[in-house]
mmCIF file of all heavy atoms in Angstrom:
data_model
loop_
_atom_site.group_PDB
_atom_site.id
_atom_site.type_symbol
_atom_site.label_atom_id
_atom_site.label_comp_id
_atom_site.label_asym_id
_atom_site.label_seq_id
_atom_site.Cartn_x
_atom_site.Cartn_y
_atom_site.Cartn_z
ATOM 1 N N ASP P 1197 119.914 96.785 156.202
ATOM 2 C CA ASP P 1197 120.404 96.009 157.325
ATOM 3 C C ASP P 1197 120.883 94.590 156.873
ATOM 4 O O ASP P 1197 121.889 94.076 157.352
ATOM 5 C CB ASP P 1197 119.431 95.930 158.472
ATOM 6 C CG ASP P 1197 119.184 97.214 159.122
ATOM 7 O OD1 ASP P 1197 120.192 98.093 159.178
ATOM 8 O OD2 ASP P 1197 118.075 97.514 159.549
ATOM 9 N N LEU P 1198 120.047 93.973 156.005
ATOM 10 C CA LEU P 1198 120.342 92.631 155.521
ATOM 11 C C LEU P 1198 119.996 92.425 154.084
ATOM 12 O O LEU P 1198 118.893 92.860 153.627
ATOM 13 C CB LEU P 1198 119.458 91.613 156.331
ATOM 14 C CG LEU P 1198 119.432 90.135 155.920
ATOM 15 C CD1 LEU P 1198 120.874 89.589 156.054
ATOM 16 C CD2 LEU P 1198 118.501 89.340 156.752
ATOM 17 N N ALA P 1199 120.889 91.874 153.324
ATOM 18 C CA ALA P 1199 120.657 91.497 151.905
ATOM 19 C C ALA P 1199 120.754 89.968 151.807
ATOM 20 O O ALA P 1199 121.656 89.377 152.315
ATOM 21 C CB ALA P 1199 121.657 92.186 151.074
ATOM 22 N N VAL P 1200 119.682 89.444 151.108
ATOM 23 C CA VAL P 1200 119.709 88.009 150.903
ATOM 24 C C VAL P 1200 119.609 87.695 149.424
ATOM 25 O O VAL P 1200 118.719 88.247 148.711
ATOM 26 C CB VAL P 1200 118.507 87.325 151.641
ATOM 27 C CG1 VAL P 1200 118.413 85.814 151.336
ATOM 28 C CG2 VAL P 1200 118.544 87.603 153.191
ATOM 29 N N ASP P 1201 120.563 87.013 148.857
ATOM 30 C CA ASP P 1201 120.481 86.491 147.483
ATOM 31 C C ASP P 1201 120.946 85.038 147.474
ATOM 32 O O ASP P 1201 122.116 84.791 147.755
ATOM 33 C CB ASP P 1201 121.454 87.358 146.637
ATOM 34 C CG ASP P 1201 121.316 87.056 145.038
ATOM 35 O OD1 ASP P 1201 120.688 86.020 144.798
ATOM 36 O OD2 ASP P 1201 121.718 87.869 144.312
ATOM 37 N N LEU P 1202 120.028 84.153 147.164
ATOM 38 C CA LEU P 1202 120.337 82.821 147.252
ATOM 39 C C LEU P 1202 120.496 82.115 145.900
ATOM 40 O O LEU P 1202 120.431 80.897 145.679
ATOM 41 C CB LEU P 1202 119.155 81.999 148.041
ATOM 42 C CG LEU P 1202 118.945 82.527 149.526
ATOM 43 C CD1 LEU P 1202 117.798 81.832 150.038
ATOM 44 C CD2 LEU P 1202 120.188 82.414 150.259
ATOM 45 N N ARG P 1203 120.748 82.939 144.860
ATOM 46 C CA ARG P 1203 121.084 82.411 143.545
ATOM 47 C C ARG P 1203 122.555 82.102 143.466
ATOM 48 O O ARG P 1203 123.363 83.061 143.613
ATOM 49 C CB ARG P 1203 120.599 83.357 142.451
ATOM 50 C CG ARG P 1203 120.585 82.751 141.061
ATOM 51 C CD ARG P 1203 119.924 83.723 140.117
ATOM 52 N NE ARG P 1203 119.698 83.168 138.818
ATOM 53 C CZ ARG P 1203 120.624 83.063 137.815
ATOM 54 N NH1 ARG P 1203 121.823 83.695 137.981
ATOM 55 N NH2 ARG P 1203 120.371 82.490 136.666
ATOM 56 N N TYR P 1204 122.950 80.921 142.991
ATOM 57 C CA TYR P 1204 124.349 80.547 142.994
ATOM 58 C C TYR P 1204 124.804 80.193 141.636
ATOM 59 O O TYR P 1204 125.814 79.486 141.425
ATOM 60 C CB TYR P 1204 124.592 79.423 143.991
ATOM 61 C CG TYR P 1204 123.660 78.222 143.770
ATOM 62 C CD1 TYR P 1204 123.915 77.152 143.005
ATOM 63 C CD2 TYR P 1204 122.426 78.166 144.543
ATOM 64 C CE1 TYR P 1204 123.012 76.164 142.781
ATOM 65 C CE2 TYR P 1204 121.510 77.230 144.287
ATOM 66 C CZ TYR P 1204 121.810 76.127 143.401
ATOM 67 O OH TYR P 1204 120.954 75.069 143.208
ATOM 68 N N HIS P 1205 123.991 80.469 140.578
ATOM 69 C CA HIS P 1205 124.259 79.884 139.244
ATOM 70 C C HIS P 1205 125.276 80.802 138.480
ATOM 71 O O HIS P 1205 125.735 80.405 137.399
ATOM 72 C CB HIS P 1205 122.966 79.870 138.449
ATOM 73 C CG HIS P 1205 121.804 79.236 139.199
ATOM 74 N ND1 HIS P 1205 120.961 79.963 140.052
ATOM 75 C CD2 HIS P 1205 121.503 77.889 139.397
ATOM 76 C CE1 HIS P 1205 120.126 79.147 140.626
ATOM 77 N NE2 HIS P 1205 120.443 77.979 140.223
ATOM 78 N N ASN P 1206 125.632 81.948 138.976
ATOM 79 C CA ASN P 1206 126.555 82.851 138.320
ATOM 80 C C ASN P 1206 127.373 83.610 139.285
ATOM 81 O O ASN P 1206 126.923 83.996 140.347
ATOM 82 C CB ASN P 1206 125.749 83.751 137.435
ATOM 83 C CG ASN P 1206 126.527 84.505 136.408
ATOM 84 O OD1 ASN P 1206 127.367 85.285 136.766
ATOM 85 N ND2 ASN P 1206 126.341 84.283 135.125
ATOM 86 N N ARG P 1207 128.652 83.787 138.962
ATOM 87 C CA ARG P 1207 129.568 84.562 139.814
ATOM 88 C C ARG P 1207 128.989 85.956 140.126
ATOM 89 O O ARG P 1207 129.263 86.562 141.174
ATOM 90 C CB ARG P 1207 130.997 84.647 139.194
ATOM 91 C CG ARG P 1207 131.677 83.377 139.022
ATOM 92 C CD ARG P 1207 133.046 83.610 138.370
ATOM 93 N NE ARG P 1207 133.863 82.465 138.283
ATOM 94 C CZ ARG P 1207 133.804 81.553 137.314
ATOM 95 N NH1 ARG P 1207 132.954 81.810 136.216
ATOM 96 N NH2 ARG P 1207 134.586 80.511 137.244
ATOM 97 N N LEU P 1208 128.368 86.566 139.150
ATOM 98 C CA LEU P 1208 127.916 87.954 139.325
ATOM 99 C C LEU P 1208 126.792 88.080 140.321
ATOM 100 O O LEU P 1208 126.657 89.119 140.963
ATOM 101 C CB LEU P 1208 127.448 88.461 137.983
ATOM 102 C CG LEU P 1208 128.482 88.742 136.916
ATOM 103 C CD1 LEU P 1208 127.962 89.012 135.598
ATOM 104 C CD2 LEU P 1208 129.411 89.899 137.364
ATOM 105 N N ASP P 1209 126.052 87.039 140.646
ATOM 106 C CA ASP P 1209 125.133 87.108 141.711
ATOM 107 C C ASP P 1209 125.884 87.259 143.046
ATOM 108 O O ASP P 1209 125.469 88.000 143.888
ATOM 109 C CB ASP P 1209 124.281 85.835 141.743
ATOM 110 C CG ASP P 1209 123.314 85.728 140.547
ATOM 111 O OD1 ASP P 1209 122.348 86.477 140.521
ATOM 112 O OD2 ASP P 1209 123.681 85.064 139.668
ATOM 113 N N SER P 1210 126.983 86.498 143.193
ATOM 114 C CA SER P 1210 127.778 86.597 144.403
ATOM 115 C C SER P 1210 128.483 87.890 144.459
ATOM 116 O O SER P 1210 128.596 88.530 145.636
ATOM 117 C CB SER P 1210 128.815 85.501 144.419
ATOM 118 O OG SER P 1210 128.158 84.178 144.545
ATOM 119 N N LEU P 1211 128.880 88.397 143.350
ATOM 120 C CA LEU P 1211 129.576 89.728 143.348
ATOM 121 C C LEU P 1211 128.659 90.845 143.690
ATOM 122 O O LEU P 1211 129.006 91.705 144.448
ATOM 123 C CB LEU P 1211 130.239 90.072 141.970
ATOM 124 C CG LEU P 1211 130.948 91.365 141.786
ATOM 125 C CD1 LEU P 1211 132.104 91.465 142.648
ATOM 126 C CD2 LEU P 1211 131.321 91.528 140.296
ATOM 127 N N LEU P 1212 127.380 90.773 143.197
ATOM 128 C CA LEU P 1212 126.361 91.780 143.486
ATOM 129 C C LEU P 1212 126.112 91.790 144.995
ATOM 130 O O LEU P 1212 126.034 92.829 145.697
ATOM 131 C CB LEU P 1212 125.127 91.452 142.836
ATOM 132 C CG LEU P 1212 123.904 92.287 143.059
ATOM 133 C CD1 LEU P 1212 124.120 93.691 142.722
ATOM 134 C CD2 LEU P 1212 122.611 91.761 142.370
ATOM 135 N N LEU P 1213 125.985 90.543 145.623
ATOM 136 C CA LEU P 1213 125.729 90.526 147.034
ATOM 137 C C LEU P 1213 126.925 91.081 147.832
ATOM 138 O O LEU P 1213 126.743 91.756 148.823
ATOM 139 C CB LEU P 1213 125.411 89.045 147.492
ATOM 140 C CG LEU P 1213 125.043 88.797 148.824
ATOM 141 C CD1 LEU P 1213 123.711 89.613 149.257
ATOM 142 C CD2 LEU P 1213 124.723 87.383 149.156
ATOM 143 N N SER P 1214 128.177 90.762 147.393
ATOM 144 C CA SER P 1214 129.372 91.210 148.046
ATOM 145 C C SER P 1214 129.441 92.723 148.095
ATOM 146 O O SER P 1214 129.914 93.376 149.031
ATOM 147 C CB SER P 1214 130.577 90.665 147.363
ATOM 148 O OG SER P 1214 130.682 89.209 147.590
ATOM 149 N N LEU P 1215 128.954 93.325 147.061
ATOM 150 C CA LEU P 1215 129.121 94.814 146.859
ATOM 151 C C LEU P 1215 127.803 95.572 147.199
ATOM 152 O O LEU P 1215 127.662 96.761 146.981
ATOM 153 C CB LEU P 1215 129.502 95.169 145.416
ATOM 154 C CG LEU P 1215 130.776 94.647 144.912
ATOM 155 C CD1 LEU P 1215 130.947 94.919 143.375
ATOM 156 C CD2 LEU P 1215 131.974 94.957 145.768
ATOM 157 N N SER P 1216 126.775 94.922 147.784
ATOM 158 C CA SER P 1216 125.476 95.429 148.107
ATOM 159 C C SER P 1216 125.458 96.491 149.108
ATOM 160 O O SER P 1216 124.581 97.330 149.207
ATOM 161 C CB SER P 1216 124.501 94.403 148.451
ATOM 162 O OG SER P 1216 124.902 93.782 149.685
ATOM 163 N N GLY P 1217 126.485 96.504 149.932
ATOM 164 C CA GLY P 1217 126.623 97.542 151.008
ATOM 165 C C GLY P 1217 125.718 97.251 152.201
ATOM 166 O O GLY P 1217 125.694 98.163 153.188
ATOM 167 N N ALA P 1218 125.091 96.167 152.331
ATOM 168 C CA ALA P 1218 124.165 95.877 153.443
ATOM 169 C C ALA P 1218 125.026 95.528 154.658
ATOM 170 O O ALA P 1218 126.180 95.037 154.457
ATOM 171 C CB ALA P 1218 123.225 94.737 153.140
ATOM 172 N N ARG P 1219 124.538 95.778 155.786
ATOM 173 C CA ARG P 1219 125.314 95.455 157.070
ATOM 174 C C ARG P 1219 125.632 94.001 157.187
ATOM 175 O O ARG P 1219 126.708 93.551 157.619
ATOM 176 C CB ARG P 1219 124.632 96.064 158.211
ATOM 177 C CG ARG P 1219 125.247 95.824 159.520
ATOM 178 C CD ARG P 1219 124.575 96.571 160.629
ATOM 179 N NE ARG P 1219 123.192 96.273 160.732
ATOM 180 C CZ ARG P 1219 122.776 95.112 161.375
ATOM 181 N NH1 ARG P 1219 123.603 94.294 161.978
ATOM 182 N NH2 ARG P 1219 121.471 94.874 161.393
ATOM 183 N N ALA P 1220 124.560 93.174 156.801
ATOM 184 C CA ALA P 1220 124.791 91.700 156.844
ATOM 185 C C ALA P 1220 124.434 91.230 155.388
ATOM 186 O O ALA P 1220 123.414 91.659 154.786
ATOM 187 C CB ALA P 1220 123.928 91.010 157.837
#
C-alpha cells in the first residue's frame, strides 16, 4: 500500500521507489 525510501544520495534510489509498484 505504501513504500517509503528517504535516501536521496543516488538516482537509483529514486528509480527503485518509482518502480516499486506500491499504491503510494
Side-chain angles (χ1 to χ4, degrees):
D1197 291 326
L1198 173 63
V1200 178
D1201 187 343
L1202 301 177
R1203 194 172 188 272
Y1204 51 90
H1205 313 91
N1206 193 295
R1207 294 178 175 89
L1208 289 168
D1209 294 284
S1210 295
L1211 181 63
L1212 174 64
L1213 187 57
S1214 292
L1215 302 178
S1216 65
R1219 183 170 55 82

